Amino acid sequence: MVNSARVLVADGNLKTLNLVSECLRRLGLVNLLETSASKAVNRAQNERPEVILLGLEFNDRSNASVISDLKSADESRDIPVLLMVGENAAPDWSRDYITQFDEVVEWPFADAQIQAHVTTALRLGTMRSELNRRNKTLRYFGAGSANNWQVE
């Protein structure tokens, strides 16, 4: 596990928030906690955590609008979003909704389960960053320059 990785945990359900937060602390990860959906979006875009664990129970906004805002902003588009499905809530499984997040973490939350999902999300984030870097290089030098990079 990558120590010092920052994980934004956002949910209006304090029980879920505390349970997942404690698990992440035991794993050596840095927690950024929010109970407000709007504050979670702002914090994600300003602080750019490596992973976002997003719950379903917010009072100020719908979960779908939060994910939409996160994925439409340049600052947070590539951050892996894990949807936490708790004991009290079920998401809208519509096609438009499920294509917005990267993975689902289901209740009950256990250390091994959280560790597996977060480790995968960290790898996904690293791969997205590398892919974006390579795409930027290709746009700058042109697609034809990729032939010069091949190892013989």
Side-chain angles (χ1 to χ4, degrees):
M1 179 72 55
V2 176
N3 288 335
S4 77
R6 294 166 305 128
V7 179
L8 173 61
V9 183
D11 195 359
N13 182 324
L14 291 177
K15 180 181 176 184
T16 300
L17 193 72
N18 289 331
L19 181 67
V20 173
S21 173
E22 285 300 316
C23 175
L24 293 172
R25 269 194 215 103
R26 286 191 296 274
L27 296 171
L29 298 166
V30 176
N31 286 293
L32 308 171
L33 305 176
E34 287 296 342
T35 57
S36 161
S38 298
K39 287 180 182 177
V41 170
N42 289 335
R43 194 160 189 191
Q45 292 171 350
N46 292 327
E47 297 187 32
R48 296 185 183 190
E50 282 76 23
V51 177
I52 299 170
L53 284 165
L54 189 65
L56 297 171
E57 300 181 51
F58 293 109
N59 294 327
D60 57 338
R61 293 177 56 183
S62 75
N63 185 273
S65 74
V66 172
I67 293 175
S68 179
D69 285 355
L70 289 170
K71 292 302 181 180
S72 63
D74 290 338
E75 300 86 7
S76 55
R77 171 178 296 130
D78 294 324
I79 301 172
V81 175
L82 308 182
L83 186 66
M84 296 185 299
V85 178
E87 62 181 336
N88 299 325
D92 166 21
W93 293 115
S94 69
R95 182 180 169 92
D96 291 338
Y97 182 69
I98 63 171
T99 59
Q100 298 282 324
F101 54 86
D102 297 294
E103 212 172 330
V104 175
V105 182
E106 294 187 66
W107 179 269
F109 307 119
D111 286 8
Q113 175 193 21
I114 297 290
Q115 182 176 12
H117 286 285
V118 170
T119 300
T120 301
L122 288 169
R123 275 191 251 131
L124 176 63
T126 300
M127 288 187 284
R128 283 182 179 161
S129 295
E130 178 63 17
L131 183 60
N132 287 337
R133 186 190 65 76
R134 288 180 183 205
N135 282 336
K136 184 177 179 181
T137 301
L138 282 173
R139 282 193 301 274
Y140 181 78
F141 291 107
S145 66
N147 294 332
N148 299 331
W149 299 348
Q150 294 178 352
V151 177
E152 297 181 20

